Amino acid sequence: MFNLFGKKSLSSEESLAECQRKQNWAGLAKTCYQMGVDAMERGELNRAQLWLHRADTIYSAQDSVYKKVGDQLIDDCSDRIGALEEESLLYNDVPSQIEEKAREMQDTQVRIWGLLSLARLVKLGGWLADLPGCEALGRLGWAVDAVLNTLLNSPTETEFNGLRDLCSALYELGDSPSFWGLGSEIPVSGGAPFQVFDLNGMMGVHLEIDAYLDGHLERLLALGQGEESPDPETGIIACTLLPDYYVRTGADKPEEVPQIRAELERIRSDYEFVCSDVTWEQIIRRVEEYKTLDLLA
């Protein structure tokens, strides 16, 4: 692509790479925003969701970037994200359906449903943990075991403090350029590389893990004080869909991607599983099986 004076213009993908190389975070946010606007105007709402939320994550992470981007862009991006929340998209529909089902379930059933999804993120988290700044994602397997054990037994000091520290590390990851700025990625057998920023979908996989674990800690504190537990978090359950990865790499209809269809079936199966007359032995077996699952296969 060339402009009027013959100078080569960068494509959107080239602009992203250039901003990442120069660590021009405001430019990166603006490029993501413009890609989202362009997609929205073409009626490609899943792509608009992807890029507008990426822009929001970047300019929200640092005050200096926020100021450079400016209120006009930020306000318009927020308005567009709000409009997308009213659309029938996988990003919106599945979490809404899960929340509706969760209202009919017992507290422990919802927490186990979430734990099963967290277990399926263990293998991916282990791979991503090798990327700069992403070490916390390698502790998901330990977190699954700690949550499962403390659903059955009183927590040890090591378990409680370890879960609390992991929550802090996951929250901090979302504000770090290691997450949204460097373009770090891992290879995927038979597919395009997976970027750590692909966790940004579904309100942020890392943030939903944080919310799930923090909610579990609040439950432990409430039980220890003889108080009623807070409502369990459900956002973690749909995070395993990883729609940002598939939309970014070309899927117009993520709900038709075989890996997403398989994961939707697992979510449905897990719901039926936890609502049945299930034993803890069966739960433990399913958790262990899921910890070895490759979601991207």
Side-chain angles (χ1 to χ4, degrees):
M1 183 185 301
F2 292 84
N3 66 18
L4 178 63
F5 301 101
K7 184 178 179 180
K8 185 178 180 180
S9 300
L10 297 178
S11 66
S12 296
E13 290 74 16
E14 290 170 333
S15 293
L16 288 174
E18 183 73 0
C19 289
Q20 288 166 346
R21 185 180 67 82
K22 294 182 176 180
Q23 297 191 7
N24 176 6
W25 306 140
L28 187 64
K30 291 177 181 179
T31 300
C32 289
Y33 162 77
Q34 191 58 54
M35 293 174 72
V37 170
D38 293 345
M40 200 166 184
E41 293 180 352
R42 293 192 301 267
E44 299 173 355
L45 300 188
N46 287 301
R47 296 191 199 285
Q49 172 89 4
L50 166 77
W51 293 111
L52 291 173
H53 274 273
R54 290 199 172 195
D56 178 76
T57 294
I58 296 166
Y59 64 63
S60 298
Q62 296 183 359
D63 290 342
S64 60
V65 177
Y66 193 95
K67 292 177 182 177
K68 288 180 181 178
V69 168
D71 290 340
Q72 184 175 352
L73 183 153
I74 290 170
D75 289 345
D76 185 66
C77 188
S78 179
D79 289 344
R80 290 176 181 274
I81 288 174
L84 288 170
E85 290 174 351
E86 303 301 318
E87 298 289 340
S88 179
L89 301 173
L90 177 82
Y91 286 95
N92 302 327
D93 294 348
V94 175
S96 177
Q97 292 164 11
I98 289 171
E99 287 180 11
E100 183 177 349
K101 289 294 185 184
R103 285 194 287 269
E104 305 168 357
M105 299 166 67
Q106 298 175 10
D107 179 279
T108 302
Q109 290 175 327
V110 179
R111 295 182 191 277
I112 295 170
W113 196 10
L115 181 63
L116 292 169
S117 285
L118 179 58
R120 292 199 296 280
L121 292 166
V122 167
K123 198 172 188 69
L124 177 61
W127 291 331
L128 293 172
D130 291 332
L131 299 177
C134 298
E135 296 82 5
L137 296 170
R139 295 164 59 193
L140 299 186
W142 174 86
V144 168
D145 293 342
V147 170
L148 182 55
N149 187 53
T150 52
L151 283 170
L152 292 166
N153 306 291
S154 298
T156 65
E157 184 176 353
T158 298
E159 287 170 331
F160 190 92
N161 290 339
L163 289 171
R164 183 189 59 191
D165 292 345
L166 179 55
C167 285
S168 297
L170 291 169
Y171 185 83
E172 291 170 2
L173 174 62
D175 286 339
S176 170
S178 297
F179 177 72
W180 46 260
L182 303 182
S184 299
E185 59 188 26
I186 57 173
V188 173
S189 178
F194 184 96
Q195 297 179 354
V196 66
F197 206 4
D198 290 331
L199 297 179
N200 196 59
M202 311 305 284
M203 304 303 293
V205 175
H206 57 301
L207 295 178
E208 293 294 0
I209 297 173
D210 172 24
Y212 175 80
L213 296 178
D214 187 65
H216 181 65
L217 291 174
E218 290 183 0
R219 172 184 180 271
L220 294 176
L221 287 172
L223 291 176
Q225 297 170 2
E227 300 174 354
E228 185 176 350
S229 300
D231 291 337
E233 296 287 338
T234 62
I236 182 71
I237 297 169
C239 284
T240 49
L241 297 172
L242 304 172
D244 271 22
Y245 169 66
Y246 299 103
V247 173
R248 180 182 62 80
T249 56
D252 294 322
K253 297 180 179 180
E255 62 274 10
E256 296 180 0
V257 172
Q259 292 91 333
I260 288 184
R261 293 177 64 180
E263 187 55 25
L264 287 169
E265 174 58 26
R266 290 188 195 102
I267 292 171
R268 184 198 62 77
S269 174
D270 286 347
Y271 165 74
E272 295 178 350
F273 175 71
V274 299
C275 290
S276 66
D277 189 19
V278 65
T279 66
W280 281 107
E281 288 76 13
Q282 290 172 311
I283 293 168
I284 292 169
R285 282 199 298 270
R286 185 170 286 213
V287 165
E288 290 302 316
E289 174 189 343
Y290 280 163
K291 284 163 62 178
T292 66
L293 181 70
D294 179 1
L295 281 175
L296 303 177

